[in-house]
Amino acid sequence: LVKPSGSRLWNQAYRFGGKQKKLSHGAYPSVSLATARLLRDEARKLLASGVDPGANKKAAKLTAVISVNNTFGRIAEEYLQRIEDEGAAESTVKKNRWMLVDLAGPDLGTRPIADITPAEILVLLQRIERSGRRETARRLRSLVGTVFRLGVSTLRAENDPTHLLRGALKAPKVQHRAAITDEKQLGALLAIIDAYDGWPTLRSALQFTALTFARPGEVRGSTWAEIDLEGAIWRIDGARTKVRRPHDVPLSRQALDVLRDVKEIAPKSLLVFPSIRSNARPLSENAMNAALRRMGFTQDEMTAHGFRAAASSILNERGFRPDVIEAALGHQEQNEIRRAYNRASYWSERIELMQAWADCLDQLKRTHDEKTSGVGWMDQRSGLSGRHRPLPSVATSRGLRPSD
């Protein structure tokens, strides 16, 4: 077909379903006569098999457009936006974005999700695994699978190729957070925390973490709006908990005393444990662990998160009901009916448990103080190594880092 403009097109006339139709095979000379004849023959084969070649060509173009637009990267962004809209913690969104964009993005980001094969994903995961990050590789496989399942549910992918990769990666090496679970050593630790001469809010945060055995992030981000001093309850918003559900913590007399003391330090702050630099900012993520390091405890001895393990271990050894301890720790009960029942039925027992735990910590400190009365600082660790030195005062020390 030669148009008035001078352009020359290859057209093929055919009939399908009793109707006269036309199929274009491109422009000459970009499409040669030989190529046009091959395209014509392919169209005739489709007709012979009962397929409309014109409709088939349109479907192929649509599929190509969809494949280009529905890349893994675009669906990953859709997934990240979805969990953010559903109220996922900022840290969770940030970590997932790092894994999907920074780790998986260079390999999979621009690829049409429907075209990605299990082999491509395996190469990516094994490269991360060889670098020693086994747990990261395992989590990335799970997260990539989540993106694929979103693609499947929205008709942009046919299957989840990560399902075939189960068992392909080496099991990660489990590394538990360091914790002091020996009662004598814990008493020594608590005495050293009480004597800490650094930023007072930081000392109070450590004391409060020990008394409530809440997650450090929940303690750092706590606000006075969550605290009911009259009712002796700390109501942690579900958006701040690991399991994304509200968690109420009964407050012992000792925990209330810590809160009243810290309130005098920054009375106008909305945060319970504000940073040294600003009442509008919480303590930094590593503030409590950094304080433990300055006290002489290495990362292999104790962490702020270790108070949870200490409480769980000691309370179980002392015969408290495991279900009540798990509820106090805020661990997620998988059965929804049982979860609702436990939350209501264990409350009075949890009040008793939290007060018993606070009294236990006081007793451990008294026992330590009695045994170390008149003993020099270097030797008063009672079972802990003697390398710990007297804590420097705020005036003579280098001071806390700005982030603390």
Side-chain angles (χ1 to χ4, degrees):
L1 172 64
V2 180
K3 290 191 171 183
S5 62
S7 60
R8 293 164 288 180
L9 307 175
W10 295 113
N11 286 341
Q12 178 180 353
Y14 69 97
R15 292 184 68 83
F16 185 85
K19 294 183 179 180
Q20 185 68 27
K21 296 190 174 185
K22 181 179 68 175
L23 180 62
S24 175
H25 291 307
Y28 177 85
S30 297
V31 177
S32 67
L33 174 60
T35 301
R37 285 174 173 169
L38 288 175
L39 295 173
R40 177 202 61 192
D41 293 341
E42 290 175 1
R44 285 176 175 174
K45 289 178 182 179
L46 290 173
L47 281 169
S49 61
V51 176
D52 183 347
N56 185 72
K57 184 177 181 180
K58 288 180 181 179
K61 284 184 177 180
L62 181 60
T63 300
V65 171
I66 291 175
S67 295
V68 171
N69 290 330
N70 291 329
T71 61
F72 177 87
R74 291 198 180 188
I75 298 176
E77 285 291 344
E78 185 178 320
Y79 164 74
L80 292 169
Q81 185 61 53
R82 179 173 295 194
I83 63 171
E84 188 173 358
D85 293 343
E86 290 174 351
E90 183 180 350
S91 59
T92 300
V93 177
K94 185 177 180 181
K95 179 177 286 187
N96 286 358
R97 180 174 297 279
W98 172 73
M99 298 188 78
L100 291 174
V101 177
D102 295 339
L103 287 185
D107 292 79
L108 307 178
T110 59
R111 298 273 289 120
I113 193 168
D115 295 345
I116 296 175
T117 64
E120 290 179 76
I121 301 172
L122 182 59
V123 168
L124 167 64
L125 297 178
Q126 288 181 332
R127 185 169 68 245
I128 296 172
E129 183 184 60
R130 285 194 299 271
S131 69
R133 297 174 291 173
R134 293 186 185 179
E135 178 63 20
T136 299
R138 185 187 68 84
R139 290 185 179 182
L140 182 59
R141 186 198 69 81
S142 176
L143 196 55
V144 168
T146 301
V147 174
F148 267 95
R149 288 191 291 276
L150 176 59
V152 172
S153 66
T154 53
L155 306 180
R156 290 173 288 181
E158 294 184 1
N159 56 65
D160 172 15
T162 64
H163 180 77
L164 300 174
L165 302 180
R166 291 182 179 179
L169 300 174
K170 298 176 182 177
K173 298 177 180 178
V174 179
Q175 293 183 339
H176 298 287
R177 292 182 176 93
I180 292 176
T181 57
D182 177 82
E183 293 190 7
K184 292 181 180 178
Q185 294 183 359
L186 184 61
L189 167 63
L190 296 170
I192 291 174
I193 290 174
D194 285 351
Y196 180 63
D197 199 18
W199 180 242
T201 300
L202 193 49
R203 179 182 63 243
S204 296
L206 284 166
Q207 292 170 331
F208 192 72
T209 303
L211 288 164
T212 61
F213 47 89
R215 295 179 177 87
E218 295 168 353
V219 173
R220 291 188 306 102
S222 59
T223 65
W224 287 109
E226 296 176 342
I227 303 294
D228 180 0
L229 292 175
E230 295 280 336
I233 301 174
W234 174 25
R235 295 185 173 92
I236 308 176
D237 189 274
R240 296 204 309 106
T241 65
K242 181 177 180 180
V243 295
R244 318 309 297 165
R245 292 182 180 275
H247 179 57
D248 296 345
V249 180
L251 297 174
S252 62
R253 294 189 302 274
Q254 293 87 331
L256 291 172
D257 288 341
V258 171
L259 291 174
R260 294 188 182 100
D261 289 342
V262 79
K263 183 67 173 176
E264 297 179 1
I265 300 172
K268 295 183 179 180
S269 175
L270 299 178
L271 294 164
V272 179
F273 302 104
S275 159
I276 186 174
R277 298 194 65 182
S278 170
N279 286 343
R281 291 173 51 189
L283 291 170
S284 68
E285 184 176 356
N286 295 318
M288 286 191 277
N289 284 336
L292 290 171
R293 302 296 89 79
R294 282 190 291 275
M295 295 177 200
F297 295 91
T298 69
Q299 62 181 358
D300 296 326
E301 288 180 306
M302 187 60 181
T303 62
H305 199 280
F307 286 112
R308 292 173 61 77
S312 177
S313 177
I314 293 173
L315 289 171
N316 274 289
E317 288 177 359
R318 291 192 171 215
F320 287 89
R321 288 180 60 189
D323 284 353
V324 179
I325 297 172
E326 290 297 296
L329 287 164
H331 286 163
Q332 181 68 60
E333 169 61 55
Q334 296 301 316
N335 184 288
E336 188 171 353
I337 297 177
R338 179 175 166 81
R339 179 169 60 241
Y341 174 79
N342 288 355
R343 187 177 181 185
S345 64
Y346 292 159
W347 182 249
S348 59
E349 291 182 77
R350 286 177 57 195
I351 294 175
E352 296 176 3
L353 179 142
M354 298 305 287
Q355 187 57 57
W357 172 245
D359 294 340
C360 170
L361 296 186
D362 281 349
Q363 181 59 48
L364 295 180
K365 284 190 289 186
R366 282 196 298 270
T367 301
H368 169 76
D369 291 341
E370 291 169 359
K371 289 185 177 181
T372 58
S373 177
V375 179
W377 179 273
M378 292 174 62
D379 300 318
Q380 70 170 300
R381 292 291 306 272
S382 182
L384 296 176
S385 64
R387 64 180 175 279
H388 300 82
R389 296 293 183 261
L391 295 171
S393 67
V394 174
T396 59
S397 70
R398 298 180 184 177
L400 298 178
R401 295 178 300 176
S403 61
D404 297 330

